[in-house]
Every structure is written in structure tokens, then in C-alpha cells.
Amino acid sequence: MAVPSFLARERIVARPGFNRWLIPPAALAVHLCIGQAYATSVYKTALVEHFDTSLTAIGIIFSIAIVMLGLSAAVFGTWVDRNGPRAAMFTSAVFWVSGFLVGSLGIYTEQLWLLYFGYGFLGGIGLGIGYISPVSTLIKWFPDRPGLATGMAIMGFGGGALIASPLSRQLMNFYDPGYDGTAGTVPSGNSVALLFLTLGLVYLVFMMFGAFIIRVPADGWRPDGFDPASVKAKSLVTTENVSANNAIRTPQFWLLWTVLFCNVTAGIGILEQAAPMIQDFFRDGATSAVAAATAAGFVGLLSLFNMGGRFVWSSTSDYIGRKPIYMVYLGVGIVLYIVLATLGSTATWVFVLTAAIIISFYGGGFATVPAYLRDLFGTYQVGAIHGRLLTAWAAAGVVGPLIINGVLDSRGTPGELVAGDYRPALFIMVGLLAVGFVANLLIKPVADKWHEPKAAPSPSTQEASAAR
Amino acid sequence: MSTPASTSSNQRPTHTPAALIAFAWTLVGVPLAYGLYNTVKAASALFGG
């Protein structure tokens, strides 16, 4: 599928002397926008009332978006690698913004299916393409610090929710003065429609800015003082390249898929239930020692650790290596889950500290995985491989909530649960982390037979030859 | 920092203005700071703030 010439990869090859520090803000401009996907809870109740439907029916919007994220990242990954980051960011912006505009129309006209189609389907495609679009470019610009580079971008996805939550509350208050953001007040449906319209237009400007400042390095470019041989000296790191089609035939891909799936499923277990969980852990009869406002503060703290973990742990992996950092995420994660299950209700600080570190590992797992892929499969089609790996995220997004909700449903009713009711779910997460830990231990360098021939064409050359 | 390319490219060199880099970082940094401030404010409820 050809793209207009102004979007083509050949048009954005950086000339010598280009400063690579312009690339991270380009990536952040996209990820900060699509990270809004994690801020949907702010208008959930408003939509339930506006459409006079159930929480489940509204929750489906988010589920469609996450499933489409996984599918589109997997399906369009090769297209993204072939056509370059500007075409991908531009396309992502068109889908993401269209999702908001169609969603706004759906809310305004009270057509729920339009919201499913708009935000869920169209927006979800924008999410998937946008999520992977800058990753391989960053890895190529920062071959000396791939963990730092991908950590910066994927931190933006966590940061997007931090921005969208308060901004959405303020905008809904502006459009509906009767809503002040406190418990008990619910914004009108029309104010949510106007919120969608406003966010769509703001995101359009930001994402297009990112698309137009992004550049790819010229073939053979490398940073001053960087010697690729120094990278090869580290175990598990290759200077060879593996195509996306071959990568999914290797055990390494599926072991890493398992690692990501287990790490994300375990994290979602806490994230999904954060606010009620802290109240239930310190419940005495019908009342909890933790007030609703404090529980909301706990959710905020987890968001900060989720975002911070993406940057800090991914950057750390540049120094200690990808396999060791996942041993920390999964191994220390096992210990922390056991502490949470057994000692979590002894003191609030124990619960908060343990959960916060677990969530920082959850974020770190997301941010480090592109660099791990680059170590194993090279840079040739790392974006496409990353896209296929993200199906683990989609799967975890279904399984994680199923585990936690399934266990809690079998133990009692919300508002009456106590710490002990969470234990079976937390021990299931320990088991999952153990599976992930073993999968990570089994990862070895990719066999030579999967490597591309030495003069592997760059995606741009490949495109050019395909066009001939 | 970056990085005159050690590349075979025969294109003439470019210079990325520092002001453009500062502008790009500000454009993404300001909303991020706004989000961080609001989240820290919300999280402070956890510590009785």
C-alpha cells in the first residue's frame, strides 16, 4: 500500500548533523495522546446514565479498543516498518482523532453503536499503530541506549492518562457547570460529547506535530563514539537481523510473549481493583479504615509508579541487561505478591509500598520489551515483531480481570470483601509470575538459521525495489 | 549528544536549531508536568495531605 510522498520514509531520512534529541519529543507527542485510553473511567458513569445502560455495556468500548490495539499492532506492524514513522504517526492520528469525532457524534445522537465503532474500533486501530510507530525509530536513533529510548516513549503512554484524567474533569466542568468533579456529581452526556470533540482536535494538533518532526537515521548512521561491537559483546544481544515472519517461528518470540503476558496479567490484577482493594484490605465490618478519597489517592500513586517504572527500569536495563531486569520484575514480583497476600493487611504503608513497586515492574515490563526484541532479533523489523508481541497485552487484558473478578465473585459481594478474599487471586498471580520467570530463564540467542542474509535490505530499499 | 552521521550519505549537513529542540520538549513537557502535578495532588490524600 503506497503512501503519499510527503509521508514516505525516503522524505524523512535525516541529513548528517541532525540532532537525535528531537526524536523523543516526537514520540512523546503521540504516546501522550494515545495514553488517554487509560483515563476512560472519568466519564464512565456519565455514559452509563446518558445511554441508560449498564457499566458492562460501557466497559465494552474500552475492551474493543484494547483488542483492536493488539490486532492492528500485529497486522500493520510490517506496514509501519516499511513506510516509516511519519506515515504511521499520521495514520494513527487520523484513526485516533476520527475515533473521538465519531464517538462524540455517537454520544450526541445517543447511538451507542457509533461509540463502539468510533472510539472502540477506529480509535483502537489508531492506538495500535500509534503505540508501535515511534518505537523502532527510537531504537535506531539510540543504538547505544535502546532501553532509555523506548522507556521515554512508553512512559508517555502512562503519562497520557495522567494528563487526560484531570483535563477531562476540567473540560467537563467547563461544558457542564453542574459537574464539579466531586463524588455524587455526574457530568451530562452532552458535556462528554463536547469533551470528545475537544480532545480529538487537541490530539490532532499534537500528533501531527510529532509526525512532522520525526526523522529516521540514514543507513549506516551511528552516534559518535558508538561501536556496534561493544553491543555484540553482551550476551543475548545480536547485530544480526530476523524478519517478523521468521521471528514468530522462533521459541524466543513465544517465550517473550509468555513473559509479557504473565507480567501484564499480574499487574492488571492490582490495577483493575486498586481503589476497592485498598479499602477491602483494611475493612472492619461494614466500614473501611481507608476513606474513598484516600483510595483515589492510592490510584494516583499507582499511576505515578506505573509511569516512572517505564522510564527508570527500562533505562536500568541498558546497564544490567534485559534478561536480568525481567528476572527482577518477575522474581522480586513473586516475593512482593506473597508479601501483599500475607502481610498486606498489617499496615497501610506495607500494602501501598508493595503494590507501588509491583506496578512499577508492570510498567517496566512494557517499556523494556522493545529493547529485548531488538537484542534478540535486531532492528530490521523490530516494529512489526513488537506489534505481534502486543497480542500478549490484549490476551492479558482479558485474562487478568477474569482471574481477579472471578475469584472475588466467588468469595462474596463488593463492599463486604476482606483481605483474605483476595488471597487466592494473589497466589494465582504468584503462579503466573513463576511461569514467566521460567520462560525468561529459557530465552537463549536466536539460532543462526533465522538470520537475514548479510546484505539485508533496509525497509526503505525494500519498498523502493517493490515499487520498481 | 548527537551525532554527525558516520554515514556514506553525500547529503549536505544540517543543523538542528536548539530552539526547535527546546520548543518540542516544552510542548510535551508542559502537559506532562500538568498531569504529574494533578496526580501528585490526588496521591497526597493517601498521606493525609
Side-chain angles (χ1 to χ4, degrees), chain B residues 10-33:
Chain B
N10 55 6
Q11 289 180 311
R12 56 197 169 79
T14 185
H15 170 71
T16 314
L20 177 61
I21 298 173
F23 173 72
W25 277 101
T26 306
L27 200 68
V28 294
V30 168
L32 196 52

Side-chain angles (χ1 to χ4, degrees), chain A residues 116-275:
Chain A
Y116 288 158
F117 175 69
Y119 188 92
F121 183 78
L122 296 177
I125 294 174
L127 271 177
I129 297 175
Y131 192 88
I132 59 170
S133 60
V135 170
S136 70
T137 304
L138 279 163
I139 288 174
K140 285 167 191 163
W141 275 113
F142 290 85
D144 46 342
R145 300 287 302 279
L148 168 86
T150 58
M152 271 190 282
I154 292 172
M155 173 191 78
F157 196 79
L162 300 194
I163 299 168
S165 293
L167 181 64
S168 300
R169 275 192 207 98
Q170 288 183 337
L171 282 171
M172 289 188 295
N173 172 242
F174 177 72
Y175 292 129
D176 177 9
Y179 167 72
D180 61 7
T182 56
T185 61
V186 179
S188 68
N190 282 348
S191 72
V192 184
L194 288 168
L195 168 73
F196 269 49
L197 191 61
T198 313
L199 288 180
L201 296 176
V202 171
Y203 289 154
L204 180 68
V205 173
F206 262 80
M207 294 174 83
M208 288 303 173
F209 174 75
F212 283 93
I213 64 168
I214 194 85
R215 294 288 183 276
V216 292
D219 284 342
W221 176 89
R222 57 175 186 261
D224 278 346
F226 172 67
D227 177 11
S230 64
V231 171
K232 197 178 182 179
K234 294 177 188 164
S235 65
L236 272 187
V237 182
T238 184
T239 51
E240 302 292 336
N241 287 299
V242 181
S243 70
N245 283 340
N246 280 338
I248 58 170
R249 295 188 193 137
T250 64
Q252 286 82 358
F253 176 88
W254 292 107
L255 288 168
L256 201 48
W257 193 99
T258 307
V259 166
L260 186 66
F261 171 79
C262 294
N263 195 48
V264 175
T265 305
I268 284 177
I270 287 186
L271 273 182
E272 265 284 305
Q273 277 295 115

Side-chain angles (χ1 to χ4, degrees), chain A residues 92-459:
Chain A
S92 161
V94 169
F95 274 102
W96 183 235
V97 171
S98 302
F100 274 96
L101 300 185
V102 174
S104 174
L105 185 67
I107 300 168
Y108 190 73
T109 58
E110 298 191 31
Q111 299 290 320
L112 186 54
W113 71 271
L114 265 180
L115 197 50
Y116 288 158
F117 175 69
Y119 188 92
F121 183 78
L122 296 177
I125 294 174
L127 271 177
I129 297 175
Y131 192 88
I132 59 170
S133 60
V135 170
S136 70
T137 304
L138 279 163
I139 288 174
K140 285 167 191 163
W141 275 113
F142 290 85
D144 46 342
R145 300 287 302 279
L148 168 86
T150 58
M152 271 190 282
I154 292 172
M155 173 191 78
F157 196 79
L162 300 194
I163 299 168
S165 293
L167 181 64
S168 300
R169 275 192 207 98
Q170 288 183 337
L171 282 171
M172 289 188 295
N173 172 242
F174 177 72
Y175 292 129
D176 177 9
Y179 167 72
D180 61 7
T182 56
T185 61
V186 179
S188 68
N190 282 348
S191 72
V192 184
L194 288 168
L195 168 73
F196 269 49
L197 191 61
T198 313
L199 288 180
L201 296 176
V202 171
Y203 289 154
L204 180 68
V205 173
F206 262 80
M207 294 174 83
M208 288 303 173
F209 174 75
F212 283 93
I213 64 168
I214 194 85
R215 294 288 183 276
V216 292
D219 284 342
W221 176 89
R222 57 175 186 261
D224 278 346
F226 172 67
D227 177 11
S230 64
V231 171
K232 197 178 182 179
K234 294 177 188 164
S235 65
L236 272 187
V237 182
T238 184
T239 51
E240 302 292 336
N241 287 299
V242 181
S243 70
N245 283 340
N246 280 338
I248 58 170
R249 295 188 193 137
T250 64
Q252 286 82 358
F253 176 88
W254 292 107
L255 288 168
L256 201 48
W257 193 99
T258 307
V259 166
L260 186 66
F261 171 79
C262 294
N263 195 48
V264 175
T265 305
I268 284 177
I270 287 186
L271 273 182
E272 265 284 305
Q273 277 295 115
M277 190 173 176
I278 189 170
Q279 292 190 288
D280 292 341
F281 261 65
F282 300 96
R283 181 175 299 287
D284 182 16
T287 57
S288 171
V290 176
T294 313
F298 173 61
V299 175
L301 188 82
L302 291 189
S303 305
L304 290 173
F305 274 78
N306 183 6
M307 190 185 95
R310 291 169 191 245
F311 182 69
V312 172
W313 296 124
S314 185
S315 303
T316 308
S317 75
D318 284 336
Y319 296 99
I320 69 169
R322 255 53 87 172
K323 193 170 182 173
I325 199 95
Y326 274 94
M327 287 165 70
V328 173
Y329 299 157
L330 300 156
V332 179
I334 289 172
V335 176
L336 291 174
Y337 260 100
I338 292 172
V339 170
L340 196 62
T342 54
L343 302 172
S345 57
T346 54
T348 321
W349 71 266
V350 174
F351 180 89
V352 170
L353 186 67
T354 313
I357 300 173
I358 288 174
I359 292 306
S360 80
F361 289 162
Y362 164 84
F366 272 120
T368 316
V369 90
Y372 208 161
L373 289 172
R374 172 249 184 230
D375 288 355
L376 291 168
F377 302 109
T379 57
Y380 172 46
Q381 289 190 331
V382 69
I385 301 170
H386 184 214
R388 291 170 198 204
L389 194 80
L390 289 182
T391 50
W393 180 6
V398 175
V399 175
L402 271 181
I403 293 173
I404 191 92
N405 295 332
V407 168
L408 295 181
D409 282 347
S410 70
R411 305 284 294 190
T413 50
E416 293 171 6
L417 297 167
V418 293
D421 296 320
Y422 285 79
R423 260 177 219 132
L426 294 176
F427 282 117
I428 293 173
M429 300 308 178
V430 169
L432 269 170
L433 288 172
V435 171
F437 189 84
V438 173
N440 182 50
L441 282 185
L442 293 173
I443 294 176
K444 304 262 186 313
V446 174
D448 291 350
K449 66 175 178 177
W450 300 114
H451 294 160
E452 289 294 296
K454 266 296 175 198
S458 71

